[in-house]
Amino acid sequence: MIRFFLIEDDAVVRRMLERIIQDSGLGEIVGQASDGNQVSIDQLFGVDVIIIDLLMPELDGIQTIKKLQAEGFAGRFIMVSQVENKEMIGEAYLQGIDTFIQKPINRLEVMSVLKRVADYLSLEASLHTIRKSLQILDIKGKQEPADFGSKPASFSEQDGLAQKAQQLLLQLGIASEAGAPDLLLISQWLAQEERRGDQLRDIQLKELYSQILLKLHGTLDEQSMGKEVRAMEQRIRRMVLQAFNHLSSLGLTDYANPTFEHFAPRLFDFQEIRQRMQELEAGEKTTKCRISVRKFLSVFFMEAKA
């Protein structure tokens, strides 16, 4: 659960936010203050996200963010404001806020923002685990170059790829899916194999999963390998289906949505997307559409390295 701290001079707004956070089940309020002057770093131990008002009587939101960052707070900021001044909003983003919540408070908007931040934090935790895994892969790749590419990608390159992939996962609505860490590992594997001129089409997906698992866990007996491969296969398929449904839903709501326009025809067969849109419009929860996991993985990697 996310640990929130509220900095807001309006007690009514604080109560509204507290109620929404409690009802969402995404986290808990661990502290509150009515002004930035009342908050110091020692009050923020374990805090993940600060929800902060832009305009406050003594120390405003931007000044408070600067102060807390200087004191060592490394968590996330969500800013609450009714200000529409583009310069002030731009300055807030430069200081590192993640997003704005507009006043007057709208319950659905707050829930949407909280869910997005929760997904982001979940993905960050996954990325932390993945980075450790990538370091293991990189070390083993140098020790056994014949198994995993003669020149593994550097960790900085892997990290850059992971950051771009992170953005794509959020755009596609799959950041919190169990298959997201698997997808990051696959992207790293493809980046290494590309240096030797190998392509995804040259390998069966099960063999791809097996190679990644071998590098990650070392030698596995046949039964354990089969079990791990099936588990990865299921996680990835569920994740790809979620992306398919997410894009179809976007298209159904707004055909001109830029995320839909860019990704739907690239990651999937557009005829299948249109069929899924019709299914969703008819209220059908399951789909009869055919989805190519191989195409999704290939295009996702190309987008991540672009």
Side-chain angles (χ1 to χ4, degrees), residues 10-17:
D10 189 331
V12 174
V13 173
R14 290 202 306 272
R15 285 196 296 272
M16 289 177 64
L17 289 171

Side-chain angles (χ1 to χ4, degrees), residues 73-119:
F73 180 71
R76 300 284 168 182
F77 291 95
I78 298 174
M79 185 157 276
V80 182
S81 176
Q82 58 187 9
V83 173
E84 296 183 0
N85 183 293
K86 291 183 178 179
E87 290 185 3
M88 291 189 72
I89 292 174
E91 174 65 16
Y93 276 113
L94 285 174
Q95 291 307 315
I97 71 158
D98 283 86
T99 188
F100 266 90
I101 293 174
Q102 291 290 331
K103 290 184 178 179
I105 297 297
N106 178 286
R107 183 182 183 84
L108 292 178
E109 180 192 5
V110 175
M111 294 283 282
S112 175
V113 167
L114 294 183
K115 180 64 167 62
R116 189 162 65 247
V117 172
D119 286 347

Side-chain angles (χ1 to χ4, degrees), residues 227-296:
K227 182 179 178 181
E228 291 293 333
V229 166
R230 286 192 297 274
M232 181 181 284
E233 189 175 34
Q234 290 170 5
R235 290 194 300 268
I236 290 171
R237 181 165 289 279
R238 283 196 297 268
M239 177 190 62
V240 174
L241 179 60
Q242 173 58 28
F244 181 69
N245 285 327
H246 178 72
L247 288 173
S248 299
S249 297
L250 287 181
L252 192 60
T253 304
D254 178 11
Y255 208 73
N257 182 289
T259 299
F260 172 79
E261 284 189 326
H262 181 82
F263 290 107
R266 287 172 170 82
L267 291 167
F268 302 102
D269 185 319
F270 197 68
Q271 292 301 318
E272 301 295 332
I273 286 282
R274 291 188 64 181
Q275 182 180 332
R276 183 58 184 144
M277 289 166 63
Q278 293 170 356
E279 290 175 342
L280 290 172
E281 196 168 27
E284 297 180 23
K285 294 183 179 181
T286 59
T287 182
K288 297 178 182 177
C289 298
R290 299 182 63 182
I291 300 171
S292 172
V293 172
R294 183 184 297 276
K295 178 178 180 180
F296 178 91

Side-chain angles (χ1 to χ4, degrees), residues 51-253:
I51 301 180
I52 184 168
D53 190 11
L54 175 57
L55 300 180
M56 292 181 288
E58 296 182 29
L59 202 65
D60 69 28
I62 294 175
Q63 293 170 326
T64 302
I65 289 172
K66 289 180 179 179
K67 183 191 81 163
L68 295 177
Q69 287 176 333
E71 291 177 0
F73 180 71
R76 300 284 168 182
F77 291 95
I78 298 174
M79 185 157 276
V80 182
S81 176
Q82 58 187 9
V83 173
E84 296 183 0
N85 183 293
K86 291 183 178 179
E87 290 185 3
M88 291 189 72
I89 292 174
E91 174 65 16
Y93 276 113
L94 285 174
Q95 291 307 315
I97 71 158
D98 283 86
T99 188
F100 266 90
I101 293 174
Q102 291 290 331
K103 290 184 178 179
I105 297 297
N106 178 286
R107 183 182 183 84
L108 292 178
E109 180 192 5
V110 175
M111 294 283 282
S112 175
V113 167
L114 294 183
K115 180 64 167 62
R116 189 162 65 247
V117 172
D119 286 347
Y120 190 91
L121 291 173
S122 174
L123 184 58
E124 274 197 331
S126 295
L127 280 173
H128 180 69
T129 302
I130 290 301
R131 286 189 180 105
K132 289 185 177 179
S133 299
L134 292 178
Q135 288 175 320
I136 293 171
L137 291 173
D138 196 32
I139 291 169
K140 289 187 176 181
K142 289 174 181 176
Q143 293 173 342
E144 305 165 16
D147 291 339
F148 208 67
S150 57
K151 187 179 179 184
S154 69
F155 185 70
S156 61
E157 288 173 329
Q158 295 168 355
D159 199 46
L161 183 70
Q163 288 177 2
K164 181 63 183 297
Q166 176 183 15
Q167 297 172 0
L168 292 177
L169 290 169
L170 289 166
Q171 279 184 281
L172 297 173
I174 54 176
S176 59
E177 289 294 309
D182 297 312
L183 184 53
L184 293 175
L185 282 175
I186 289 170
S187 297
Q188 188 265 348
W189 186 90
L190 290 172
Q192 292 185 340
E193 289 299 292
E194 192 177 49
R195 289 170 171 263
R196 300 188 333 185
D198 296 331
Q199 300 294 327
L200 182 60
R201 64 172 179 268
D202 297 328
I203 186 171
Q204 294 294 318
L205 291 183
K206 287 187 178 182
E207 177 62 23
L208 165 64
Y209 304 154
S210 295
Q211 290 203 32
I212 291 171
L213 288 166
L214 280 172
K215 278 296 168 184
L216 197 57
H217 300 297
T219 304
L220 293 171
D221 60 65
E222 187 175 348
Q223 183 177 0
S224 297
M225 176 59 76
K227 182 179 178 181
E228 291 293 333
V229 166
R230 286 192 297 274
M232 181 181 284
E233 189 175 34
Q234 290 170 5
R235 290 194 300 268
I236 290 171
R237 181 165 289 279
R238 283 196 297 268
M239 177 190 62
V240 174
L241 179 60
Q242 173 58 28
F244 181 69
N245 285 327
H246 178 72
L247 288 173
S248 299
S249 297
L250 287 181
L252 192 60
T253 304

Side-chain angles (χ1 to χ4, degrees), residues 1-4 30 41-49 73:
M1 291 182 63
I2 303 174
R3 294 164 61 86
F4 293 95
V30 297
I41 189 65
D42 60 327
Q43 298 169 263
L44 302 176
F45 179 76
V47 171
D48 302 301
V49 178
F73 180 71

